[in-house]
Amino acid sequence: MTYAQDTRPLLNRRLAEFGTTIFAEMSALAVRTGAVNLGQGFPDTDGPESVREAAVRALRDGHGNQYPPGPGVPELREAVAEHQQRFYGRTVDPDTEVLVTAGATEAIAASLLALVEPGDEVIALEPYYDSYAAAVAMAGGTRVPVTLRPAEEPDGTRRFRLDLDELRDAVTDRTRLILLNTPHNPTGTVLTREELAAVAELCVERDLLAVTDEVYEHLVFEGEHLPLASFPGMRERTVTIGSAGKTFSFTGWKVGWVTGTAPLVAAVRSAKQYLTFVSAGPFQYAVAEALRLPDSHFDGLREDHRAKRDLLTRGLADAGFGVFRTAGTYFVTADIRPLGAEDGTAFCLSLPERCGVVAVPTQVFYDHEREGAPFVRFAFCKRDEVLRDAVGRLKSGLS
Ligand SMILES: Cc1ncc(COP(=O)(O)O)c(C=O)c1O
């Protein structure tokens, strides 16, 4: 006998709108068609050998093979605090102001579950990383998108820009927090000092919390990464999220962290302890070593990815796309209208057959789907020969 799904669906109402993620769908399409997958943002080369060896050593030496402490192993919490000091001059207490999580994804979910009551509004920049909407829904909150819009910069390039008036207008008496992401996935925008200062002023003026997803902090090619928590009045109201996945090219390890004041971190920990309780132990020791790598690692990662960004940006432009300037992240957003297309979803569904390349329609990251209809996202965190192959396929397939 089967369960009578027509009387009551299995998936609860809060999550009903979130089926499988677009990444699973597009990656399956890539496998089925043998296409080059520039859809999902994971590197096809592993991170530093020394960090991998540190994980093996931890496993062998019995470090972290049993439940590590709930807040994370002290070695990693200290390394996270040192990293904040080293790169941003922020002083963070490793004992009370750091929490290790199962990737940034858990940090985002735990932060929202901890800080949001049903009925609270959460402002997020649209298009947004796909877990945000689901995490707000799981917390019973209401998401309020503020759309990043393409704009021309003084140097003639195009980038997605935050409209500060629109952000201000989105705040109501029910707004609890702003969920910010910079460097921004999928648009590749890095919020400027002026934009962040305005966000900070608004948070202070309206007494809002902020949760900032900074997983691409070391992948900034233009401008600089500025943590929102370092702006006046923001330390006491900001939860800052980081992850080893992108900074060390080990996305499968799922080690992330939260920093914030002791009361904020304690609140997030309350939610986290009933999600995963702790994250994988041996990897925490390895990530502690990784965070202490010399500057050459962080500079090398950035310069490597800058070259990849340039390769893909040029290739997409040569293939006929309109291309936005990527200031940070793993991604280039392209406009399909110069190719005579309008609907990114239809375009991406046909691209594997047509060109043997997979991309993601940016539309799926919007509530206002029409705003994102003509945009598609390509990941460049791949080997150069893979990018060259993809660009060649696009050029011949679209001509
Ligand atoms: C903006 C953003 N936040 C969070 C994550 C997830 O990070 P993690 O793998 O550490 O959970 C990603 C991964 O693609 C991302 O792009």
Side-chain angles (χ1 to χ4, degrees):
M1 201 172 116
T2 52
Y3 180 74
Q5 287 202 44
D6 5 336
T7 34
R8 181 169 162 188
L10 290 174
L11 188 60
N12 71 49
R13 233 175 300 143
R14 290 186 306 288
L15 295 183
E17 68 174 293
F18 310 105
T20 45
T21 73
I22 185 71
F23 304 112
E25 207 175 309
M26 297 310 291
S27 292
L29 193 57
V31 170
R32 209 166 55 241
T33 57
V36 180
N37 188 355
L38 301 188
Q40 203 172 355
F42 61 88
D44 57 2
T45 312
D46 287 345
E49 186 61 33
S50 67
V51 176
R52 227 179 330 164
E53 281 308 312
V56 173
R57 214 168 44 244
L59 268 165
R60 284 221 184 90
D61 296 349
H63 292 148
N65 288 334
Q66 307 305 329
Y67 291 134
V73 304
E75 286 81 351
L76 178 52
R77 282 186 278 124
E78 275 155 28
V80 167
E82 272 173 35
H83 171 269
Q84 288 294 318
Q85 186 71 53
R86 171 177 164 194
F87 287 97
Y88 310 116
R90 289 184 63 218
T91 303
V92 169
D93 179 346
D95 291 329
T96 58
E97 298 185 330
V98 179
L99 171 69
V100 176
T101 57
T105 308
E106 189 198 30
I108 294 159
S111 300
L112 293 168
L113 287 167
L115 302 173
V116 172
E117 289 282 3
D120 283 346
E121 291 178 356
V122 174
I123 294 178
L125 307 185
E126 169 188 79
Y128 32 62
Y129 177 59
D130 72 329
S131 86
Y132 295 177
V136 172
M138 285 192 272
T142 303
R143 64 178 185 272
V144 176
V146 170
T147 309
L148 295 174
R149 295 222 168 70
E152 190 151 322
E153 295 294 289
D155 67 0
T157 58
R158 291 171 80 210
R159 85 180 258 261
F160 284 80
R161 206 184 278 163
L162 173 60
D163 182 333
L164 293 166
D165 291 330
E166 209 171 316
L167 179 66
R168 193 165 275 284
D169 289 346
V171 178
T172 72
D173 293 343
R174 290 181 302 280
T175 308
R176 171 67 162 167
L177 63 83
I178 298 182
L179 174 53
L180 204 75
N181 171 217
T182 184
H184 183 263
N185 173 10
T187 65
T189 276
V190 173
L191 295 183
T192 62
R193 185 181 290 279
E194 292 69 32
E195 285 169 328
L196 288 166
V199 173
E201 269 173 37
L202 184 61
C203 288
V204 172
E205 181 190 316
R206 301 298 298 264
D207 199 21
L208 307 178
L209 296 170
V211 173
T212 75
D213 176 346
E214 305 184 4
V215 301
Y216 297 102
E217 62 191 307
H218 289 291
L219 287 160
V220 174
F221 319 115
E222 318 284 343
E224 59 183 323
H225 174 68
L226 299 164
L228 186 66
S230 59
F231 283 74
M234 292 310 289
R235 183 181 150 74
E236 39 284 295
R237 58 179 75 245
T238 305
V239 172
T240 303
I241 295 173
S243 169
K246 320 290 172 180
T247 299
F248 303 110
S249 309
F250 288 117
T251 56
W253 287 13
K254 298 301 291 187
V255 176
W257 50 85
V258 158
T259 56
T261 57
L264 281 169
V265 166
V268 179
R269 196 167 62 230
S270 300
K272 185 242 148 61
Q273 68 189 333
Y274 299 114
L275 291 172
T276 54
F277 177 46
V278 287
S279 326
F283 292 133
Q284 295 190 37
Y285 290 93
V287 171
E289 287 196 24
L291 283 166
R292 294 183 173 121
L293 283 170
D295 287 351
S296 55
H297 165 76
F298 299 92
D299 294 343
L301 179 89
R302 186 184 61 243
E303 293 312 313
D304 255 21
H305 284 82
R306 183 199 300 282
K308 292 180 189 302
R309 172 201 67 167
D310 292 347
L311 198 167
L312 184 62
T313 300
R314 260 194 318 271
L316 291 175
D318 289 349
F321 290 91
V323 188
F324 294 95
R325 190 185 67 170
T326 286
T329 74
Y330 278 165
F331 308 106
V332 171
T333 293
D335 188 337
I336 57 175
R337 285 172 294 191
L339 290 164
E342 302 233 312
D343 177 12
T345 303
F347 184 86
C348 287
L349 286 172
S350 71
L351 204 58
E353 299 282 357
R354 218 167 138 198
C355 299
V357 175
V358 166
V360 171
T362 310
Q363 194 167 18
V364 299
F365 306 123
Y366 285 80
D367 279 321
H368 302 108
E369 286 186 16
R370 288 180 60 84
E371 295 272 358
F375 307 131
V376 299
R377 189 195 78 174
F378 293 87
F380 55 78
C381 48
K382 308 291 175 189
R383 280 169 293 133
D384 290 356
E385 60 267 33
V386 173
L387 294 175
R388 278 194 211 100
D389 182 18
V391 162
R393 288 171 182 229
L394 288 167
K395 278 190 215 164
S396 52
L398 296 171
S399 59

